[in-house]
Amino acid sequence: MDFNATKLFTAVVSAGSFSAASERTGVPISTLSRKINELEQALKVQLLERSRQGVKPTHKGQQFFEQARRGVELLEDAQKCVTSVHRLQGKLRLSVPPDFTLWWDLIIEFQQRYPDITVFCHASERLVDLFEDGVDVALRMGNLNTDDVIAKPLMTMKTLFVASPELLARYGTPETLADMARLPVAAWESLNHGFFEWESGSRKVKYEPVFSTNNSQGLIHYALSGRGIAQLLDFSAQPWLEKGELVQLLPGIATQKFPLHLVYARHKHPSALVRAYLEFCIEWVGKLR
């Protein structure tokens, strides 16, 4: 059986179409089609159902894909071990939350340690499908509502309420969530979220923002300009707090905590690149504590 044809078959199934697989692998569509036809003839079974909407594996094709994918990954790892002179090389596909600036420093240091690993990093609010989107490892914040991934806990993130000294000079310093709701607020809002409420223990306070965005830099800009208070992740707010350009509000009372996890597909054997990245992240975050 042709290993290269099997590898291309798994790439087509993962991508969902010949065109998408061609973009990911750099192999022409005509070559992909020919190699998979040869594989089907060698196995004497139809592996793919082809249509204008794309391709999907037949029942036998899905069975072959599940078994072959693990073998392909193991063989690729073995190949890299003997051809890279003990240097990890290849491409790592990552996903991170939007505006998660802390991770850019981590990725730079990761590539300094592993200079032969190239990285594609997708930043989005959308919860990526690790399998459909071809993502090796995703960074996810908050509670995980799926059993389809293996999750490695990294750290706990905190959010802080901040405001500029100029804004507090105009309105006074709030002592409760209700006081804070009467100030101008710049809030995080996605396209599918328009409900604004703060929680602290059993206390819940609704508020109406004067400005909302899904961009943390926009919130920081509003806070620094004295146009509104903002709720930021602690690492985003820290540089401005240290300079005195922002002041934390209600410390210890109105902070929220979110777990941060690295996740990868449960059914996928982690490659040497993925294992190196997971270990590096745990090491790197440990130095922050």
Side-chain angles (χ1 to χ4, degrees):
M1 185 173 62
D2 187 339
F3 167 68
N4 187 48
T6 304
K7 180 179 176 181
L8 295 177
F9 166 73
T10 62
V12 169
V13 175
S14 297
S17 71
F18 281 101
S19 59
S22 179
E23 290 180 5
R24 290 186 186 179
T25 63
V27 177
I29 294 175
S30 59
T31 303
L32 289 172
S33 181
R34 176 173 55 81
K35 296 297 288 185
I36 291 174
N37 282 334
E38 292 174 356
L39 182 62
E40 289 177 321
Q41 291 172 13
L43 295 173
K44 295 182 174 57
V45 65
Q46 182 181 349
L47 298 173
L48 293 178
E49 293 179 358
R50 299 158 173 83
S51 68
R52 291 183 178 180
Q53 286 72 39
V55 295
K56 65 178 181 179
T58 62
H59 176 67
K60 289 290 186 181
Q62 184 64 34
Q63 290 179 323
F64 180 71
F65 171 74
E66 294 294 340
Q67 297 298 320
R69 178 179 52 196
R70 298 185 183 97
V72 167
E73 290 167 355
L74 289 171
L75 283 171
E76 286 181 333
D77 279 355
Q79 185 181 41
K80 289 170 184 174
C81 284
V82 299
T83 60
S84 62
V85 196
H86 304 297
R87 289 167 67 95
L88 286 176
Q89 60 182 346
K91 186 169 186 177
L92 197 60
R93 294 172 61 86
L94 308 176
S95 173
V96 300
D99 298 321
F100 209 77
T101 55
L102 179 67
W103 230 242
W104 305 134
D105 288 332
L106 181 147
I107 292 173
I108 288 172
E109 292 186 30
F110 173 75
Q111 288 192 285
Q112 287 174 339
R113 179 177 295 184
Y114 299 103
D116 295 324
I117 296 179
T118 60
V119 173
F120 164 74
C121 188
H122 176 265
S124 172
E125 289 182 62
R126 182 174 69 86
L127 195 65
V128 299
D129 186 306
L130 300 179
F131 176 68
E132 294 290 339
D133 295 314
V135 170
D136 295 309
V137 186
L139 185 69
R140 291 184 180 167
M141 187 166 57
N143 295 320
L144 303 176
N145 299 314
T146 177
D147 295 325
D148 296 332
V149 299
I150 294 176
K152 290 191 175 294
L154 269 182
M155 61 192 298
T156 299
M157 309 296 299
K158 292 193 301 182
T159 63
L160 312 175
F161 287 102
V162 297
S164 69
E166 292 77 13
L167 184 141
L168 298 179
R170 292 199 308 271
Y171 293 97
T173 301
E175 297 182 359
T176 66
L177 287 175
D179 291 341
M180 201 159 58
R182 289 189 280 269
L183 275 62
V185 178
W188 177 276
E189 181 180 8
S190 65
L191 289 174
N192 300 315
H193 172 74
F195 181 73
F196 301 100
E197 185 177 78
W198 293 322
E199 291 187 37
S200 179
S202 59
R203 289 171 291 178
K204 295 184 179 181
V205 174
K206 293 183 179 180
Y207 65 97
E208 288 292 334
V210 297
F211 170 77
S212 59
T213 180
N214 67 338
N215 185 286
S216 63
Q217 296 303 312
L219 297 180
I220 292 172
H221 190 77
Y222 254 70
L224 289 172
S225 65
R227 302 297 298 173
I229 67 171
Q231 188 177 23
L232 304 174
L233 288 170
D234 51 0
F235 70 82
S236 296
Q238 197 60 42
W240 311 107
L241 293 172
E242 291 175 355
K243 295 177 184 178
E245 296 182 37
L246 291 177
V247 177
Q248 183 180 354
L249 305 178
L250 307 183
I253 298 175
T255 58
Q256 288 182 293
K257 296 181 179 181
F258 300 95
L260 189 68
H261 294 88
L262 289 167
V263 302
Y264 58 95
R266 181 175 294 278
H267 60 264
K268 186 175 182 180
H269 176 76
S271 67
L273 270 64
V274 167
R275 292 195 299 271
Y277 176 69
L278 295 173
E279 292 169 3
F280 182 87
C281 290
I282 293 170
E283 174 191 332
W284 194 86
V285 168
K287 296 177 182 177
L288 299 179
R289 297 171 181 170

